[in-house]
Amino acid sequence: MENLEKEQIVQDLLPQEFGKQGKIWVACLIALCVIGFIAYCHQLSKGLVVTAMRDYASWGIYISNFVFFVAISLVGSLITAVLRLTDVHWSTPLTRIAEIIAVSAITFASIIIVVDMGRPDRFYNLFLHGRLQSPIVWDVIVITTYFFISILLLYFPLLPDLKIMLKYKDRTSKWMYKLYSFLGSFWKDKPEQFKITDKAINILSITIIPVAFSIHTVTSWLFATTYRPGWDSTNFGAYFISGAFLVGSGGVLVAMYVFRSHYNLKKYITYDHFDKMGKVVVMLALLYLYFNVNEFLVPAFKMKKPEEEHLRGLFTGEFAPIFWFAITTSMLLPILILVTKKGRRPFPAFIAGILVVIGSWFKRYIIVTPTLLHPFLPMRDVPASYHHYFPTWEEWAICIGSLAGALLVITFFARIFPIIPIHETITETEEHEHDKK
Amino acid sequence: MNTIKNKYIGVILLSFFSIVSFAQDAKNDLMLSMGYYNNNNLTQYLVAHAKTKIDGKFQMVPDVTVKFYINNDSAATNLLGTAITNDKGDAVLMMPPSAKAEWMKSAKHTFAIVSTASKLYDEAKATVDVSKAKLKIDTTDDKKLIVTLLELKDTAWVPVKAVDLKVAIKRLDGDLNVNETATYTTDSTGTITAEFKRDSLPGDKEGNLTLIAKVEDNDIYGNLTAERVVKWGSKFQYVSQFDRRTLFARRGHSPWWLELLAYAIVVSVWAVLIYLIGQIRKIKQLGV
């Protein structure tokens, strides 16, 4: 990082008002959310019959979307916790980006699962009659826990920044000032306060890792504990976690590029960050590719009769275009792009990140739906249309609306709070300068 | 030229209508058969079965209306009732009380079934002759079954020899032979003796087992059964699994190890979170 003055850092990193592009972006996201909400109201009034989900494909793109959100949320634990605990400092400017991605994704994961229930008013039954033996109950527990840890992990490092923002009253609106005062007016930069905060962040960094692993392992168990072709695997927890870290890192690459360009943060999110993050993505893509080989090659080698239809559907059948698209875009192309130094420049890395995120969404679709269409015991006397699944406009609208909602949360957060930690950046710059002397 | 063309059109139309009319007239043969059943000398009923041959394969015919008669296949007074065949081609008619007078007239009867003609099938008929007979089960203290087949001759029940019958124990999904012998043949006294070799077979809570003797598809007597309850089974003590703590149990009955593990994890993680929220309070106090 260049030798930057403290004041310059603050000025650069304070939240900025939306420009013209920002307003268009927010308007588009709000429009998508509204369309999604209208579709959901339609689903609420007519019931889940408006979806394409039937007796065979009882989980459609809602659950694919849920798994995607849970997966991308894991990046919070990777960037904030794993890299912090291993004393990796280059990730400091990325921690808040990763945490807000985690918080928004986990929020919409919870929302989308309620959407999939059809009758949200029956959600309380899960608490009244839920069984501790059920992975669904574990999922609710770990998602709630992970959400709170992520919020705390976002809040504690924000405290010193709140004090800085309170100093710049002229740069903030009235309600934002009130919000900053409510959240952090008590922060006085006292050494005792820093001591407590550092300790809390360390505790949270340690706590979030097993919880993050649990959240996605439990999500994988929702599938793996069901005896079906494609899901009947002992490998599912590790397979899901490796995929989750990959999509989360891809998401961070995209967010890094967008914030860097839009907020002019080139001094803070440098080529070096893209280079290092690109290497992380390559490593995770290779790891996920390895698990994919395990998941598909071993059953395909044995080709047990009940698995055959499912696997042939993926490799050469109905789902082959999506399957190969997902494998290519989420793993192969990003590896090819990011494995070279030129590929780890901001723009190519951004493209690779986009590919990872889009491919990973379709990968979740491939995990959920084809298996449901090929059960071990075929159902009798069901209409022929039940053997296929293609989402209705309501499902698309709700899913796209939820993705837009998650982006909207990130956008508003970046508008209200500094997306790169100001205080930590100043401290690290000062330490850097001190080391130089 | 036009005349020739018109002739061709006429021939084509004629051929078409002849095919259509042939297709409309073509009916498959409906084959009816019937069985007489007397369960435990209490319940008597008749089962009609309708089938047809399509593309060289027998197929069951549902929705065929079948009339059941006793001793005459047309008189309204001899009509026992009407039934419609189900998906398996079977139509069942319980013997009505109104048939008692006709039943008591003779020791032998002829039952007839007649299906009414429909668009698909012509009228079909079938008959079966039945001699009145009954089975009787006796048991001895040394767990032997003595089964006797008796036939009504005029007014007296006489033993019947050389008839195959089976002796079994009634179970939930079928009958279990009392020993390795599947079928017995009655001797000159109309009886068979079978040894009960199913010791320790679970019965009800009193140890009751239901023995059953069966004559199946006999040309003269039809299908007969007789039952007798004996205390030869082991007493079955039902132990409810409902309250057992298992992974598949209901809410609040999960295994102890799971409860301990799950709650320990949840409590410890949330204790940390609550502690950290307490730390926020502490930071606040330091800033006042």
Side-chain angles (χ1 to χ4, degrees), chain B residues 231-266:
Chain B
K231 289 194 185 222
W232 291 352
S234 62
K235 290 180 180 175
F236 177 70
Q237 294 297 323
Y238 174 70
V239 181
S240 172
Q241 302 286 312
F242 196 63
D243 288 330
R244 233 181 92 202
R245 286 185 170 273
T246 59
L247 282 174
F248 47 85
R250 66 190 196 280
R251 178 185 162 84
H253 284 72
S254 45
W256 282 117
W257 63 263
L258 180 68
E259 296 224 348
L260 281 172
L261 202 67
Y263 289 128
I265 292 170
V266 171

Side-chain angles (χ1 to χ4, degrees), chain B residues 31 63 188 205:
Chain B
M31 285 165 263
D63 303 324
S188 56
K205 61 182 178 183

Side-chain angles (χ1 to χ4, degrees), chain B residues 77 130 177 187 189:
Chain B
T77 50
V130 174
N177 293 338
D187 61 14
T189 61

